[in-house]
Amino acid sequence: MPRATDPLLRPFTLKNLTLRNRVVSTSHEPAYGEGGVPGDRYRRYHLEKARGGVGLTMIGGSAVVSPDSPPAFGNLLLYRDEVVPWLRRLADDVHAEGAAVMCQITHLGRRTRNDTGDWLPVLSASPLREPAHRAFPKEAEPWDLDRVVRDYADAAARCRDAGLDGVEIQSYGHLLDSFLSPATNHRSDELGGSLDRRTAFPRRVIRAVREAVGPEFAVGIRMTLDEDRPDGLTLDEGLEAARRYLADGVDFLSTIRGSIESDAALARTIPSMGTPSAPFLEFSAEIRRRLGVPVMHAGRITDVATARYAVREGLLDLVGMTRPQIADPHLTRKVADGAEDRIRPCVGASYCLDAIYASGDTKCVHNPATGREARLPHTVPPASRRRRAVVVGGGPAGLEAARVLGERGHEVVLYEAGELPGGQLRVAAANPRRRELLGIVDWRVSECRLLGVDLRFGTLAEAADVRAHHPDVVLVATGGLPNTSFLEEGADLVADTWDVLGGGLRPRGPVLLYDDNGAHPGPDAVEVLVRYGVPVEYVTPERTLAPEVGGMNSPAYLRAFAEHGVTTTLAHHLTAVRRADGRLTATLRSAYAERATERTVRHVVVEHGTLPHAPLYWELLPESSNLGRVNHTDLLAGTPQREVANPAGRYQLFRVGDAVTSRTIHAAVLDALRLCMAL
């Protein structure tokens, strides 16, 4: 679509602020802060989006205003004066690239832990424990609320003094809406009961913020207007509360439907893959129609066509494409340049959110440069010298290696034995709910073709094929094969999760699935198995189900477990499998008791990760100049690999992805990017 007529690229005036387009990166916390301030890593992350053309980037999801709102996941601390110069540097850099920047401010209330930070008791309207973060809050007293009101006002003033363009007050799952919602406000004093009483404290905060920042500074609120639960806030009450907040000085709404107090509720409010696109778009449009106020919304709007439709049809004023810009911070610029087909897609994996709790910060499942802007480029620069490269394997590691080498300007040929690319990722996407993972493959194949990479699918590369290209560098990305070697007996009798996901196993009776990987493959296989209508028992040596699957993804699996009556057995190891009268007997040993139990089933399926499948690597190794060695110092510094262990070698040779060891999609593409960007 021509830039001049594209609804997404039209400017929008909010208060006294004119945004260059309608695309927003809404407030979220990537956990990149350093000591409660937005340091260089945090600044570079948002600066990249500004360079990528976003109209408004919002930081601090959620920046906390009080010491008794301890950070749950690396939140910015707005109650400290030392945050101001860091905010100013971020704002100045973002402004220099033409984007606006706002900060979300909040008191987390009960949505945190009281055994972190300064170990102060956490607050809520009523002493009701939040399931997700497990804190038992105290019922906020009047003196608590007086100081929290002051803290909100002071925090907003710090944002204004730092040169930000506005603040957004957070009111879903935190302190303010704990007063608004009848589900969490059980008070019998003047702050509980009627809507007038339940809005009294949030309105005090809004009026204090408005007074602190003055009439010209933009103030918004991101709030749930319908909790979509039997005892929660209804749409009618949510709309009435919003009207009062607007009268108190709020300039715009960011709409939420649902609640976030548990994994199940959060996964409905922030939907992941396998769910409909933009499920709350019409809901947000109704809010806009009924309140006549600028509305922004972010909720699984992952593609440009849907975003453009939302703005063109007047459903939204500003469209939040937050996770899509974690996948591709240059999304808006690519739209403006007429290069929508080159946008790296958000596939809805929600690794960005789950990674915060698993490893401490946000990561995109297939853009390893996000959050690593100081070391890894989102756009790979060309090399000074063209080289010949052979990549063997068309999974995520091999495709990323070929893409990056292609961007560098090298002559690249990729061999993939399968008729279709994707490797293990294609196996994972065989679970219909996770089919969007194929976007990771499709984008790289498209990029490789645009970059002139010679893609040879359905071709098994042998050593002679590689040598025939006279390569300067060879990358082996042949992945791994399922590992059943841990069994003391019966490894030849079991199936693996690939058999299930690939359709090779169609069960005719009870299945025992043993999972000591703890990641997605085991639950994926269960989700497929239950569709056959056979009994399934899930066994793990862990103390919980699939500990590597985060809270954004586990609800879909647990729903399948619950709906189909999957039996679960924790803290047991599978040690042996034997034939028994046409069936299989599995021996399980408890991790905590010196005894064994047996199960007799029709099929035993195991998930134990993979072992590298790299015979080609070992065959090519003697003729390589580096003998497969990787200099880790150079790798982490982003400098070329210069190891010469064999001066007579004909090429450099490297392994990437699961051809090295069993890991994840993110690890595979990270391997490939940081190695190949310097070749």
mmCIF file of all heavy atoms in Angstrom, residues 570-586:
data_model
loop_
_atom_site.group_PDB
_atom_site.id
_atom_site.type_symbol
_atom_site.label_atom_id
_atom_site.label_comp_id
_atom_site.label_asym_id
_atom_site.label_seq_id
_atom_site.Cartn_x
_atom_site.Cartn_y
_atom_site.Cartn_z
ATOM 1 N N LEU A 570 4.569 -38.026 39.152
ATOM 2 C CA LEU A 570 5.758 -37.197 39.339
ATOM 3 C C LEU A 570 6.853 -37.982 40.058
ATOM 4 O O LEU A 570 6.597 -38.979 40.732
ATOM 5 C CB LEU A 570 5.413 -35.950 40.147
ATOM 6 C CG LEU A 570 4.279 -35.061 39.631
ATOM 7 C CD1 LEU A 570 4.070 -33.879 40.579
ATOM 8 C CD2 LEU A 570 4.565 -34.567 38.219
ATOM 9 N N ALA A 571 8.086 -37.471 39.914
ATOM 10 C CA ALA A 571 9.245 -37.956 40.682
ATOM 11 C C ALA A 571 9.494 -39.452 40.502
ATOM 12 O O ALA A 571 9.859 -40.148 41.452
ATOM 13 C CB ALA A 571 9.071 -37.615 42.160
ATOM 14 N N HIS A 572 9.314 -39.942 39.296
ATOM 15 C CA HIS A 572 9.615 -41.335 38.988
ATOM 16 C C HIS A 572 10.448 -41.411 37.710
ATOM 17 O O HIS A 572 10.161 -40.719 36.725
ATOM 18 C CB HIS A 572 8.334 -42.150 38.797
ATOM 19 C CG HIS A 572 7.714 -42.595 40.080
ATOM 20 N ND1 HIS A 572 7.045 -41.728 40.928
ATOM 21 C CD2 HIS A 572 7.671 -43.827 40.676
ATOM 22 C CE1 HIS A 572 6.604 -42.400 41.985
ATOM 23 N NE2 HIS A 572 6.974 -43.674 41.855
ATOM 24 N N HIS A 573 11.470 -42.274 37.749
ATOM 25 C CA HIS A 573 12.321 -42.519 36.584
ATOM 26 C C HIS A 573 11.875 -43.787 35.875
ATOM 27 O O HIS A 573 11.553 -44.793 36.517
ATOM 28 C CB HIS A 573 13.782 -42.695 37.014
ATOM 29 C CG HIS A 573 14.407 -41.446 37.543
ATOM 30 N ND1 HIS A 573 15.091 -40.555 36.746
ATOM 31 C CD2 HIS A 573 14.452 -40.930 38.794
ATOM 32 C CE1 HIS A 573 15.535 -39.549 37.480
ATOM 33 N NE2 HIS A 573 15.162 -39.750 38.726
ATOM 34 N N LEU A 574 11.871 -43.745 34.565
ATOM 35 C CA LEU A 574 11.675 -44.942 33.758
ATOM 36 C C LEU A 574 13.034 -45.606 33.589
ATOM 37 O O LEU A 574 13.975 -44.986 33.078
ATOM 38 C CB LEU A 574 11.080 -44.579 32.399
ATOM 39 C CG LEU A 574 10.928 -45.721 31.391
ATOM 40 C CD1 LEU A 574 9.881 -46.725 31.864
ATOM 41 C CD2 LEU A 574 10.569 -45.169 30.015
ATOM 42 N N THR A 575 13.149 -46.860 34.011
ATOM 43 C CA THR A 575 14.455 -47.526 33.948
ATOM 44 C C THR A 575 14.507 -48.652 32.929
ATOM 45 O O THR A 575 15.573 -48.925 32.365
ATOM 46 C CB THR A 575 14.840 -48.085 35.327
ATOM 47 O OG1 THR A 575 13.825 -49.002 35.761
ATOM 48 C CG2 THR A 575 14.972 -46.954 36.346
ATOM 49 N N ALA A 576 13.376 -49.319 32.700
ATOM 50 C CA ALA A 576 13.410 -50.469 31.788
ATOM 51 C C ALA A 576 12.033 -50.693 31.176
ATOM 52 O O ALA A 576 11.009 -50.334 31.762
ATOM 53 C CB ALA A 576 13.862 -51.725 32.542
ATOM 54 N N VAL A 577 12.040 -51.309 29.994
ATOM 55 C CA VAL A 577 10.804 -51.689 29.305
ATOM 56 C C VAL A 577 10.990 -53.116 28.787
ATOM 57 O O VAL A 577 12.018 -53.442 28.180
ATOM 58 C CB VAL A 577 10.483 -50.734 28.138
ATOM 59 C CG1 VAL A 577 9.214 -51.175 27.425
ATOM 60 C CG2 VAL A 577 10.346 -49.301 28.630
ATOM 61 N N ARG A 578 9.983 -53.983 29.031
ATOM 62 C CA ARG A 578 10.042 -55.389 28.602
ATOM 63 C C ARG A 578 8.742 -55.765 27.899
ATOM 64 O O ARG A 578 7.696 -55.185 28.167
ATOM 65 C CB ARG A 578 10.250 -56.314 29.806
ATOM 66 C CG ARG A 578 11.510 -56.026 30.606
ATOM 67 C CD ARG A 578 11.598 -56.952 31.821
ATOM 68 N NE ARG A 578 12.782 -56.669 32.627
ATOM 69 C CZ ARG A 578 12.811 -55.758 33.594
ATOM 70 N NH1 ARG A 578 11.711 -55.064 33.883
ATOM 71 N NH2 ARG A 578 13.924 -55.550 34.271
ATOM 72 N N ARG A 579 8.821 -56.750 27.034
ATOM 73 C CA ARG A 579 7.610 -57.295 26.419
ATOM 74 C C ARG A 579 6.885 -58.166 27.422
ATOM 75 O O ARG A 579 7.504 -58.880 28.207
ATOM 76 C CB ARG A 579 7.958 -58.123 25.184
ATOM 77 C CG ARG A 579 8.492 -57.303 24.024
ATOM 78 C CD ARG A 579 8.450 -58.120 22.738
ATOM 79 N NE ARG A 579 9.091 -57.422 21.642
ATOM 80 C CZ ARG A 579 8.506 -56.488 20.901
ATOM 81 N NH1 ARG A 579 7.259 -56.131 21.167
ATOM 82 N NH2 ARG A 579 9.168 -55.903 19.920
ATOM 83 N N ALA A 580 5.535 -58.129 27.367
ATOM 84 C CA ALA A 580 4.736 -58.946 28.282
ATOM 85 C C ALA A 580 3.406 -59.262 27.620
ATOM 86 O O ALA A 580 2.497 -58.422 27.608
ATOM 87 C CB ALA A 580 4.512 -58.215 29.609
ATOM 88 N N ASP A 581 3.309 -60.481 27.035
ATOM 89 C CA ASP A 581 2.059 -60.952 26.432
ATOM 90 C C ASP A 581 1.500 -59.971 25.394
ATOM 91 O O ASP A 581 0.332 -59.580 25.435
ATOM 92 C CB ASP A 581 1.009 -61.204 27.523
ATOM 93 C CG ASP A 581 1.451 -62.279 28.494
ATOM 94 O OD1 ASP A 581 2.131 -63.223 28.049
ATOM 95 O OD2 ASP A 581 1.133 -62.155 29.690
ATOM 96 N N GLY A 582 2.354 -59.538 24.495
ATOM 97 C CA GLY A 582 1.915 -58.650 23.428
ATOM 98 C C GLY A 582 1.792 -57.199 23.840
ATOM 99 O O GLY A 582 1.392 -56.348 23.034
ATOM 100 N N ARG A 583 2.118 -56.906 25.077
ATOM 101 C CA ARG A 583 2.098 -55.527 25.568
ATOM 102 C C ARG A 583 3.481 -55.191 26.110
ATOM 103 O O ARG A 583 4.434 -55.968 25.952
ATOM 104 C CB ARG A 583 1.004 -55.366 26.636
ATOM 105 C CG ARG A 583 -0.396 -55.600 26.055
ATOM 106 C CD ARG A 583 -1.428 -55.842 27.140
ATOM 107 N NE ARG A 583 -1.842 -54.611 27.807
ATOM 108 C CZ ARG A 583 -2.769 -53.777 27.341
ATOM 109 N NH1 ARG A 583 -3.370 -54.032 26.187
ATOM 110 N NH2 ARG A 583 -3.113 -52.716 28.016
ATOM 111 N N LEU A 584 3.615 -54.048 26.731
ATOM 112 C CA LEU A 584 4.897 -53.623 27.282
ATOM 113 C C LEU A 584 4.746 -53.352 28.771
ATOM 114 O O LEU A 584 3.764 -52.754 29.207
ATOM 115 C CB LEU A 584 5.391 -52.352 26.583
ATOM 116 C CG LEU A 584 5.645 -52.450 25.074
ATOM 117 C CD1 LEU A 584 6.032 -51.082 24.516
ATOM 118 C CD2 LEU A 584 6.734 -53.477 24.762
ATOM 119 N N THR A 585 5.732 -53.792 29.535
ATOM 120 C CA THR A 585 5.765 -53.501 30.968
ATOM 121 C C THR A 585 6.902 -52.521 31.229
ATOM 122 O O THR A 585 8.068 -52.789 30.902
ATOM 123 C CB THR A 585 5.970 -54.773 31.799
ATOM 124 O OG1 THR A 585 4.833 -55.614 31.622
ATOM 125 C CG2 THR A 585 6.101 -54.435 33.284
ATOM 126 N N ALA A 586 6.543 -51.373 31.790
ATOM 127 C CA ALA A 586 7.514 -50.316 32.099
ATOM 128 C C ALA A 586 7.822 -50.344 33.589
ATOM 129 O O ALA A 586 6.908 -50.409 34.422
ATOM 130 C CB ALA A 586 6.955 -48.957 31.709
#
